[in-house]
Amino acid sequence: MINIILCWGVTKIDTSNTSSNFIHNIIREDLKMNKYGGRVHTRFPPEPNGYLHIGHAKSICLNFGTAEEFGGLCNLRFDDTNPSQEDTEFVEAIKEDIRWLGFSWGDRLYYASDYFDQLYEFAVQLIKKGKAYVCDLTPEQIREYRGTLTQPGKESPYRNRSIEENLDLFERMKNGEFPNGAKVLRAKIDMASPNLNMRDPVIYRIMHEPHHRTGNKWCIYPMYDFAHPLSDAIENITHSICTLEFEDHRPLYDWFIDNLITGDKPKQYEFARLNLTKTVTSKRKLRKLVEKGYVSGWDDPRMPTLAGYRRRGYTPESIRDFCNRIGVAKANSTVDIALLEHCLREDLNAKAPRVMAVLDPVKVVITNYPEGQTEKLEAENNPENPAAGHRQILFSRNLFIEREDFMEDPPKNYFRLSPGKEVRLKHAYIIKCEQVIKDEEGKIVEIHCTYDPDTKSGGPAAGRKVKGTLHWVSEAEAINAEVRLYDYLFLDDEPEASTYCEVELEPDQEEDEDDFLSKLNPNSLKILKNCKVESILRDALPGSKFQFLRQGYFCADLKDHSPQNPVFNRIVGLKDSWAKAKQKK
RNA sequence: UGGGGUAUAGCCAAGCGGUAAGGCAUCGGACUCUGACUCCGACAUUCGGUGGUUCGAAUCCAUCUACCCCAGCCA
């Protein structure tokens, strides 16, 4: 009986692996030239300061997928160079999400903090080469000295300290002799560079802050621009893939590599991050939704986090399929969320057992069906997968159908139940509506029908055609369930776009940052308490997924579902051409 | 107005000098005991604009335009 819940279909083999994108083209070229001796080694480098979202999934699929496709390796490396932001909670969540997506880093789990000693040594080398110096300028002064987009910067008065002095000062920075912000170590490059990243960037800052992995060992921490390329080099990364905003950091990346690394040099390539319609993906904004309680947490089923999708009922296969389909390019773009949902439905259609659930029940009485009688009917579990087998459901005189499936005064193309009309009850009989019972307020409380015993599914007269087929649950077997209908958190296609016109922007416009909150969909969650569902759902395992016939895909909630209190989340609705046709009128 | 990028259909996206892949969306139609699925069909005489090179240009050259990113001791 529980078989239905476990009969998870075969995962479709993804054959779209010969993907053509500019990064793979580069790799094919590198392979042809035997660069890196034929090695392909990538890495996924999250900062453990938040949960992974759908945008990260694109990067994970690119990095792990590329390694897989070219017979290479992909490391997981936490970019944990800023202890004030980071936490092990995020480290664990990130690991779980990557595993859930189906990728494996083998034994190659690394942390930038693993390299703090080596990075310190690299910095010392730079000083010894006269290519780095300790600078006493305040943060404000550094900003002033940096110049602007159109004007060159000025050299720091500390720029020409002797190597010995720099060495001494840097060591004393490490030893904790100076307070936060008192000094920094900077690369000595070019204050007049048109690329601001090259204007003597800070590479080490003083931060008296315990680190989640190194504890109190360090009070100076390397900056991303310094730690990242060198970590790549330490791990023998060949292709270092990141997003577009780091494009003008590439000269700096190369500068550190060229000055400190011999042998194979990792190369950085940049691709456009994912944007999704009706979705916010900025870490800051997601954090806000969580912290201000607009959602129940990072794993709220409405969140575009991987934890949220998991709780919602998305399959990892569908997310990977999506990531493979959207492509990888350098043009900023916003993918229609309809594509994600398409991938989801395609996967779930093949896998999810069908079951009947009435979300907004209205009672039907089959007046010519004997009182007290019940009978077992056979129902196929998944027409897409015969191996999923059959189950038995109970029919009885009283049953429930969807309130929406009855209309007293229907339009011409209405295939469902209405007075005097016939419909088939899925897996059961054809019934005909004879009478409508209403209460004092005119609300329909019962629909009286007769059934045609000859039309039993699979029976001799079962071939008779009627236009509509309804899902139903008999009173004899129905159990109550809570159903949570989730909708988009934002209805706006681009919730992150400012509503204010750029032209009118005044200097003082801090508040715009929270603009997106005003676009929250007030109906993103609707809770239905008295749904009638097949009794088999009582035993559904948390996280198991079903198609509620004619309605959509639903998932037994990972946290709240139990046999005593069945709770189902709507993952996504079925496509509904009837609703679309209605809307057009 | 400095530097770095990007422009191919409603949305993604291939294309790499030989005459515009594919997917999503949309619109028909077939099938259907899920108005689902599936299937069949339609959907860029044109690649941001303009000039040029060439027998031939989305691809090469010139120029213009639009949009994105950069002035953290964040990543």
Side-chain angles (χ1 to χ4, degrees):
Chain A
M1 193 224 220
I2 204 132
N3 195 29
I4 179 180
I5 293 148
L6 304 173
C7 63
W8 203 232
V10 185
T11 299
K12 212 180 35 168
I13 307 291
D14 182 21
T15 51
S16 61
N17 256 0
T18 48
S19 59
S20 176
N21 66 55
F22 76 100
I23 290 175
H24 288 182
N25 291 345
I26 288 165
I27 292 176
R28 283 191 197 98
E29 199 56 34
D30 289 346
L31 253 18
K32 202 190 295 173
M33 307 314 286
N34 199 37
K35 203 170 166 185
Y36 307 113
R39 283 191 311 117
V40 174
H41 204 149
T42 58
R43 99 274 88 113
F44 175 63
E47 183 187 14
N49 70 342
Y51 278 63
L52 260 24
H53 56 65
I54 185 71
H56 295 109
K58 177 180 181 181
S59 175
I60 292 167
C61 291
L62 213 211
N63 278 297
F64 282 93
T66 296
E68 223 165 74
E69 183 166 343
F70 293 97
L73 297 169
C74 179
N75 298 353
L76 171 57
R77 179 173 74 234
F78 286 97
D79 230 318
D80 55 352
T81 56
N82 185 353
S84 67
Q85 306 287 316
E86 297 149 6
D87 195 275
T88 46
E89 174 204 348
F90 299 120
V91 169
E92 291 313 312
I94 288 168
K95 281 156 65 177
E96 184 184 358
D97 288 343
I98 298 171
R99 267 190 237 107
W100 176 70
L101 265 188
F103 293 105
S104 169
W105 52 88
D107 57 359
R108 298 174 313 284
L109 168 62
Y110 302 121
Y111 296 81
S113 55
D114 292 341
Y115 312 135
F116 281 173
D117 287 299
Q118 286 174 83
L119 292 171
Y120 181 83
E121 279 312 310
F122 277 131
V124 168
Q125 276 183 49
L126 232 34
I127 294 171
K128 287 180 176 166
K129 288 183 174 188
K131 297 200 175 202
Y133 62 96
V134 173
C135 181
D136 298 1
L137 256 24
T138 65
E140 297 70 38
Q141 289 171 319
I142 286 184
R143 195 186 329 120
E144 285 159 22
Y145 275 67
R146 187 155 33 225
T148 67
L149 294 178
T150 51
Q151 290 165 301
K154 295 187 298 201
E155 295 189 349
S156 162
Y158 304 98
R159 197 173 200 259
N160 294 310
R161 289 217 253 229
S162 70
I163 288 173
E164 291 65 34
E165 187 182 4
N166 281 320
L167 250 17
D168 173 60
L169 255 15
F170 186 49
E171 184 171 359
R172 289 165 60 195
M173 280 169 64
K174 182 191 73 168
N175 292 340
E177 290 186 29
F178 310 110
N180 287 352
K183 288 177 167 38
V184 291
L185 184 70
R186 301 175 71 177
K188 191 193 282 192
I189 308 179
D190 177 9
M191 289 307 290
S193 171
N195 181 344
L196 303 215
N197 294 304
M198 302 299 272
R199 319 240 264 228
D200 289 10
V202 172
I203 60 183
Y204 261 95
R205 78 282 219 187
I206 298 169
M207 209 185 262
H208 291 271
E209 183 103 30
H211 185 280
H212 65 101
R213 299 196 78 243
T214 60
N216 293 311
K217 178 172 178 188
W218 298 90
C219 63
I220 58 172
Y221 293 96
M223 299 289 288
Y224 166 88
D225 280 319
F226 183 71
H228 196 76
L230 297 171
S231 299
D232 282 344
I234 290 168
E235 293 178 20
N236 284 309
I237 299 305
T238 56
H239 303 265
S240 181
I241 303 169
C242 65
T243 43
L244 250 30
E245 67 270 27
F246 294 103
E247 222 154 6
D248 16 291
H249 293 236
R250 197 189 329 135
L252 182 53
Y253 184 104
D254 291 338
W255 190 90
F256 288 125
I257 294 290
D258 289 341
N259 279 292
L260 293 165
I261 301 297
T262 53
D264 282 353
K265 295 179 177 185
K267 281 289 180 188
Q268 174 181 297
Y269 301 95
E270 310 86 10
F271 71 99
R273 64 173 349 124
L274 170 67
N275 296 295
L276 247 198
T277 58
K278 304 187 196 307
T279 308
V280 154
T281 44
S282 122
K283 240 185 214 181
R284 206 205 114 253
K285 289 180 176 140
L286 294 178
R287 183 187 300 276
K288 188 135 216 159
L289 291 173
V290 173
E291 286 173 355
K292 298 267 173 144
Y294 291 100
V295 294
S296 64
W298 287 100
D299 69 345
D300 186 290
R302 294 164 292 182
M303 289 285 276
T305 51
L306 296 183
Y309 286 122
R310 179 165 59 240
R311 175 112 186 252
R312 175 79 167 258
Y314 272 66
T315 61
E317 292 83 357
S318 67
I319 292 175
R320 283 209 272 168
D321 184 31
F322 171 74
C323 290
N324 288 333
R325 291 208 212 189
I326 55 178
V328 178
K330 299 197 68 156
N332 289 313
S333 62
T334 302
V335 176
D336 193 334
I337 196 165
L339 179 59
L340 211 211
E341 294 176 346
H342 169 82
C343 296
L344 213 211
R345 290 192 186 103
E346 189 172 84
D347 192 36
L348 256 12
N349 178 51
K351 294 172 175 172
R354 272 56 168 174
V355 86
M356 296 198 283
V358 177
L359 305 189
D360 181 15
V362 62
K363 187 171 174 182
V364 168
V365 180
I366 311 295
T367 54
N368 59 340
Y369 196 88
E371 214 145 343
Q373 179 177 319
T374 62
E375 73 183 288
K376 287 178 177 171
L377 300 171
E378 194 170 63
E380 65 184 340
N381 288 331
N382 187 347
E384 304 291 328
N385 176 20
H390 295 259
R391 71 186 181 285
Q392 295 200 309
I393 53 177
L394 224 45
F395 190 78
S396 66
R397 177 182 164 95
N398 296 150
L399 29 94
F400 302 102
I401 66 165
E402 210 69 61
R403 193 166 280 279
E404 195 188 53
D405 285 337
F406 177 81
M407 263 184 116
E408 261 196 297
D409 188 19
K412 47 251 132 248
N413 289 325
Y414 192 75
F415 299 164
R416 283 109 104 140
L417 197 62
S418 54
K421 292 291 172 46
E422 285 187 323
V423 292
R424 172 171 288 284
L425 294 180
K426 179 80 178 174
H427 305 308
Y429 301 94
I430 291 176
I431 61 166
K432 182 177 183 182
C433 171
E434 309 286 359
Q435 201 186 158
V436 182
I437 314 291
K438 297 180 185 176
D439 65 12
E440 320 76 56
E441 280 145 24
K443 190 185 177 198
I444 297 169
V445 291
E446 276 184 17
I447 300 167
H448 287 191
C449 298
T450 52
Y451 84 116
D452 178 350
D454 292 335
T455 58
K456 182 169 172 175
S457 291
R464 183 148 72 89
K465 298 291 182 211
V466 285
K467 229 10 189 164
T469 300
L470 307 186
H471 62 275
W472 55 276
V473 178
S474 71
E475 205 174 61
E477 95 153 89
I479 62 164
N480 287 322
E482 173 178 328
V483 170
R484 299 173 181 169
L485 298 179
Y486 291 104
D487 195 1
Y488 304 119
L489 215 34
F490 299 91
L491 296 174
D492 199 309
D493 271 351
E494 291 182 39
E496 306 206 51
S498 172
T499 45
Y500 297 105
C501 187
E502 298 287 338
V503 192
E504 302 299 334
L505 277 186
E506 293 299 322
D508 174 39
Q509 31 94 10
E510 287 291 318
E511 301 308 305
D512 285 7
E513 294 276 297
D514 289 342
D515 219 34
F516 75 106
L517 292 173
S518 66
K519 298 177 184 167
L520 275 164
N521 174 9
N523 303 312
S524 59
L525 170 58
K526 199 163 141 194
I527 298 176
L528 271 24
K529 289 287 192 183
N530 288 303
C531 308
K532 305 292 183 184
V533 306
E534 280 186 42
S535 56
I536 195 172
L537 286 177
R538 183 173 23 223
D539 301 318
L541 299 173
S544 58
K545 297 154 187 72
F546 303 88
Q547 184 192 105
F548 286 3
L549 226 55
R550 300 210 304 136
Q551 301 193 107
Y553 297 97
F554 292 76
C555 171
D557 190 76
L558 242 11
K559 287 186 171 169
D560 300 336
H561 173 86
S562 70
Q564 296 73 35
N565 179 40
V567 178
F568 295 91
N569 301 328
R570 180 169 67 195
I571 314 171
V572 67
L574 250 26
K575 284 216 270 182
D576 190 348
S577 59
W578 169 242
K580 199 181 283 177
K582 266 195 305 189
Q583 226 176 23
K584 261 195 255 178
K585 280 174 199 166

